[in-house]
Structures are given as C-alpha cells and as structure tokens.
Amino acid sequence: KKRQMKKSAHKAMQLIRGWAKNGNVNVVHYLRILEAELDLLQGNVKKAEESFKAAITSSRRNGFRNDTALAHELSSSFYKAKGDDYWTKYHLECSKSCYQEWECSEKVKLLDESQS
C-alpha cells in the first residue's frame, strides 16, 4: 500500500509541477503539501517540515484560505506524531481560525471534537 501511495503521489506531483512550470502559481501550495506527505512516507522529517511551512506560506500569500487551513491541519498532525505539543496546538488553532474565516464551522467542530 505504501508503494502505491508513493506512486500516486509522484504521478500527481509530476502533473502539478507541469502546471506550475507553465505559470500556474495557484497550484504551488498543492505541490508543497504533496511533497511534505511524500517526504514523510520516505522518512525525510526535516524536508517534510519545510514543505509544510512552504505550503502554508504559499497558500496564505495567494489567498487560498481553505488550503491554508488544510496545510495547518496536516502540520498539526505532523507535529502531533513527533510529540511536539506546542506546534501541534499552534497549527491546530491556526487551522481552526482559517476554517472559521472560510465559514466552515462544521470542520471547526470536528477538529474540536477530535481534541477531546
């Protein structure tokens, strides 16, 4: 299953890289999210952390509030797996704030419930 996930990730990344190369800056944050997840599958924790940060920055800069929320949510899960409570809570709160701004209160409720 891990091999299949890697193959799918590489295929999607290749497609998105092509779009970004052709000038579509609206997909760069998706590429960074995929890179982060793939880095995690390959055990490249430091690179994954950098890719999550890049995804957050890119999506925020380009006004994709929903994708900023997702990137923060995934970052929160990443730090939770590392046992880093401070960054887990920080990214979870940022995620909830972004989802709230995006008027997605049901997602905020789900995240609150997952904490309890």
Side-chain angles (χ1 to χ4, degrees):
K1 182 173 178 162
K2 197 173 183 179
R3 178 190 274 195
Q4 186 179 2
M5 289 172 64
K6 284 182 186 179
K7 186 177 179 182
S8 293
H10 281 294
K11 194 173 186 178
M13 285 172 59
Q14 201 171 20
L15 180 64
I16 295 171
R17 269 196 191 104
W19 293 338
K21 201 174 194 178
N22 288 329
N24 188 348
V25 295
N26 294 334
V27 297
V28 172
H29 58 283
Y30 293 126
L31 182 60
R32 299 298 171 244
I33 288 171
L34 282 171
E35 286 173 344
E37 293 294 333
L38 186 60
D39 288 336
L40 286 177
L41 282 173
Q42 295 172 341
N44 298 326
V45 176
K46 189 65 178 164
K47 283 180 69 177
E49 185 174 22
E50 292 168 9
S51 293
F52 279 127
K53 287 178 185 177
I56 291 166
T57 301
S58 177
S59 59
R60 183 183 321 124
R61 185 179 323 124
N62 291 304
F64 293 102
R65 180 60 61 197
N66 57 326
D67 295 325
T68 304
L70 175 63
H72 275 296
E73 183 180 353
L74 293 171
S75 292
S76 178
S77 296
F78 166 73
Y79 285 109
K80 185 175 185 174
K82 285 180 63 174
D84 188 329
D85 290 337
Y86 175 81
W87 289 111
T88 298
K89 290 176 186 174
Y90 171 80
H91 285 289
L92 185 61
E93 290 305 313
C94 288
S95 177
K96 291 188 323 187
S97 174
C98 291
Y99 281 126
Q100 196 66 48
E101 288 174 26
W102 193 45
E103 298 181 11
C104 193
S105 56
E106 288 301 312
K107 181 63 177 183
V108 174
K109 285 181 190 176
L110 285 172
L111 290 172
D112 284 337
E113 290 170 6
S114 72
Q115 283 182 287
S116 9

